[in-house]
Amino acid sequence: MEYSLLFMLVIFLIGFLGSFISGMVGIGGSIVKYPMLLYIPPLLGFAAFSAHEVSGISAVQVFFATIGGVWAYRKGGYLNKDLIIYMGVSILIGSFIGGFGSRFLSEDEVNFVYAMLATVAVVMMFMPKKGVDDQSFDQVTFNKTIAATLAFIVGIGAGIVGAAGAFVLVPIMLLVLKIPTRMTIASSLAITFISSIGATTGKLMTGQVLLVPAIIMIVASLIASPLGANAGKKINTKLLQGILSVLILASAIKIWLDFL
């Protein structure tokens, strides 16, 4: 695949926008960048990436995008270490299995897994939540078995599409585990960073990563993700949840329409 200067600029802008949103609302950014990488280049007359190539680029990019986001949230007591350990280890194992095993799936099957994850996330995000943000951070508790089990399941699906799974983890942490919103956003970035290690390793081992687009996306991520995280600290938590819900809903609708 040949990369003109304009094509590389388009890839950079996709990476910048997705990574800014990533840092702001606590997702790895693939919920936005997966469909953007899939559809925007051919729409502008450039060569199209396959679903496997998009998932490989996304996996590597998420690894670096979440580093910047976690660094921005490292102070202020937003990171829950127990949550990160229990969900992080489980999602690492699951994402490696999904990332490595995705080589055996067809293009449509990879897109189908993405659409399923997005749909589940949409349903969960629009379910009513009460009293979640009333807890002080030092009093937060959660069911460790449920947290680890759900993280493992999400990890397998996320590893397949290279998305790290934050767009499903966030509603799980809010609705099922009852974690306060800002702690959810910060901790999910740390967990998705761990998840991206497994997904990236699996993708690299199976040759699903295109080097040039991945490097461009990494540069965009390192610039935009910390900017988004700093912006996220200043925005109302309900607005953050609303932004995340709209992004997930739009992506899910687009992917499902392609199957019809």
Side-chain angles (χ1 to χ4, degrees):
M1 182 177 287
E2 295 184 2
Y3 305 99
S4 66
L5 185 60
L6 187 58
F7 190 12
M8 290 190 288
L9 178 60
V10 169
I11 296 171
F12 178 84
L13 291 175
I14 290 173
F16 188 94
L17 176 61
S19 297
F20 184 85
I21 295 170
S22 160
M24 186 169 63
V25 298
I27 60 176
S30 292
I31 186 64
V32 179
K33 281 173 282 190
Y34 187 97
M36 288 175 74
L37 282 171
L38 207 57
Y39 298 118
I40 290 180
L43 192 65
L44 297 177
F46 299 108
F49 294 114
S50 69
H52 288 94
E53 290 169 342
V54 169
S55 66
I57 295 168
S58 298
V60 175
Q61 178 275 322
V62 167
F63 175 83
F64 287 91
T66 47
I67 290 177
V70 172
W71 182 257
Y73 275 111
R74 70 191 186 282
K75 296 179 180 179
Y78 294 121
L79 298 172
N80 186 309
K81 293 181 180 178
D82 286 344
L83 192 66
I84 293 169
I85 291 172
Y86 278 92
M87 298 191 79
V89 172
S90 296
I91 203 167
L92 175 63
I93 298 170
S95 64
F96 175 77
I97 293 172
F100 188 86
S102 62
R103 65 179 297 187
F104 303 109
L105 300 179
S106 68
E107 300 286 304
D108 285 343
E109 287 169 338
V110 173
N111 283 332
F112 179 78
V113 171
Y114 179 89
M116 287 294 294
L117 288 173
T119 302
V120 169
V122 167
V123 172
M124 295 187 72
M125 285 302 294
F126 283 101
M127 290 175 65
K129 299 174 284 293
K130 294 183 179 180
V132 173
D133 291 324
D134 294 339
Q135 306 177 67
S136 62
F137 287 172
D138 57 354
Q139 295 179 336
V140 173
T141 59
F142 62 94
N143 188 306
K144 296 177 175 60
T145 301
I146 291 177
T149 301
L150 292 177
F152 176 75
I153 295 171
V154 170
I156 293 176
I160 291 173
V161 299
F167 58 100
V168 179
L169 282 179
V170 168
I172 285 176
M173 292 163 73
L174 289 172
L175 291 166
V176 180
L177 303 178
K178 305 296 184 183
I179 307 297
T181 303
R182 293 200 184 279
M183 180 175 283
T184 290
I185 290 173
S187 298
S188 71
L189 278 169
I191 295 166
T192 52
F193 166 67
I194 297 171
S195 172
S196 69
I197 296 173
T200 300
T201 302
K203 297 291 185 184
L204 286 170
M205 290 176 65
T206 52
Q208 298 181 61
V209 179
L210 296 178
L211 186 60
V212 173
I215 292 175
I216 294 172
M217 296 288 277
I218 288 168
V219 173
S221 298
L222 293 176
I223 296 171
S225 186
L227 296 176
N230 287 325
K233 293 178 181 179
K234 303 171 185 177
I235 298 176
N236 181 276
T237 55
K238 290 185 178 179
L239 178 58
L240 289 176
Q241 290 179 26
I243 292 172
L244 183 57
S245 299
V246 170
L247 294 174
I248 295 172
L249 179 60
S251 297
I253 291 174
K254 174 58 180 173
I255 297 292
W256 282 121
L257 286 175
D258 287 345
F259 283 106
L260 300 178

